[in-house]
Amino acid sequence: ALKSQVPADGQLEVHVIDVGQADAILVKTPDAGNLLIDGGTAADSSLLFSYLKKLNVTSLDYMICSHAHEDHVGGLSAPLSTMEVKNVFAPKKESTSKAYNNFKTKVAEQGLEIINPQSGDTISFGGCTAEFFVPAGLGSSNMNNTSIICKVTFGNTSFLFTGDAERDEEQNIIEQGCNLRADVLKVGHHGSETSTSYVFLREVMPKYSVISVGKKNSYGHPSEAVLSRLSDEGSEVFRTDLNGDIIMESDGTNISITTQKN
């Protein structure tokens, strides 16, 4: 199992930013190494910009666009326009949407090429290790199932970020033999019934689960079925629609969670 070296006085912060029915997650390390996973919609750009500014995040070592849907890629253009981004990851499958084209343009303006990671690829930053799990040979007409899944390890603590991966991708990743065990699960696809299967949950066994989801959204997310599966697994659930921004801190051994509203 991957273990990362924890700086002596180190606190890792994981911010699940409340961007409504969308995803935006910042992983901020004590050594100023930063990773941003998704950026909400284009309409969330200024919210994301001011959130990063408030935390004095002036550059990003890594940016991951989990998949090409607008509620994940839209707001990424904000940091790409306003700060140095050193590496950008996205799945091979692109979208022809304005939001995705905008993202590609901004990446090119930074002089970068988009990296398509493979399962087992790892990156290190600020005492953290992140490992990528990517679906293989999944002929996906469903963009959700192209999601880059990423597991961040800090000392003995770990966080699994799943994008919008649905059951087919969950199964595919399990069959690849990926080690999905994690303390915290970012629940797939805003708590949609089509994700977070029992089989997948058994592999992850998360102590805490976080759902990034919009208040009174039209999809009925998070689904009762998923909430019930999480409850059966004994996982404590946090939701952006109820809790607002969710901030998790790890010292490499313990994780503490604070929320913007209780």
Side-chain angles (χ1 to χ4, degrees), residues 18 24 49 68 110 128-129 133 201 204 228 231-232 261:
D18 178 11
F49 172 76
Q110 287 250 14
C128 268
T129 313
F133 305 128
L201 269 177
V204 185
S228 141
S231 156
D232 288 350
K261 36 187 196 261

Side-chain angles (χ1 to χ4, degrees), residues 26 36 47-57 79 83:
L26 174 73
L36 181 68
L47 184 157
L48 180 62
F49 172 76
S50 51
Y51 197 100
L52 295 174
K53 195 173 173 179
K54 177 183 84 181
L55 292 174
N56 295 320
V57 172
M83 64 179 72

Side-chain angles (χ1 to χ4, degrees), residues 11-84:
Q11 284 276 1
L12 173 79
E13 296 174 17
V14 176
H15 295 254
V16 179
I17 305 165
D18 178 11
V19 283
Q21 186 67 18
D23 268 29
I25 298 150
L26 174 73
V27 180
K28 185 174 187 286
T29 74
D31 295 5
N34 300 309
L35 158 68
L36 181 68
I37 304 172
D38 293 334
T41 67
D44 296 317
S45 294
S46 61
L47 184 157
L48 180 62
F49 172 76
S50 51
Y51 197 100
L52 295 174
K53 195 173 173 179
K54 177 183 84 181
L55 292 174
N56 295 320
V57 172
T58 53
S59 73
L60 294 169
D61 297 63
Y62 296 100
M63 172 184 279
I64 299 170
C65 163
S66 68
H67 65 299
H69 279 151
E70 206 262 337
D71 59 323
H72 294 256
V73 74
L76 289 175
S77 296
L80 283 166
S81 312
T82 53
M83 64 179 72
E84 185 195 11

Side-chain angles (χ1 to χ4, degrees), residues 102-171:
N102 206 8
F103 163 71
K104 284 204 320 195
T105 303
K106 300 276 191 252
V107 170
E109 281 170 8
Q110 287 250 14
L112 297 171
E113 284 191 19
I114 294 173
I115 305 161
N116 307 130
Q118 304 291 310
S119 274
D121 287 357
T122 60
I123 54 176
S124 293
F125 58 103
C128 268
T129 313
E131 184 174 8
F132 294 111
F133 305 128
V134 181
L138 189 64
S140 181
S141 50
N142 175 351
M143 192 89 80
N144 289 336
N145 284 329
T146 66
S147 292
I148 294 171
I149 296 178
C150 169
K151 178 173 162 180
V152 172
T153 303
F154 185 69
N156 291 318
T157 61
S158 51
F159 301 80
L160 188 69
F161 304 102
T162 56
D164 278 356
E166 298 184 11
R167 278 199 192 97
D168 287 351
E169 178 175 352
E170 290 176 354
Q171 196 57 46

Side-chain angles (χ1 to χ4, degrees), residues 245-257:
D245 303 318
I246 298 159
I247 297 128
M248 300 177 270
E249 280 187 285
S250 164
D251 59 7
T253 308
N254 298 304
I255 295 169
S256 62
I257 302 181

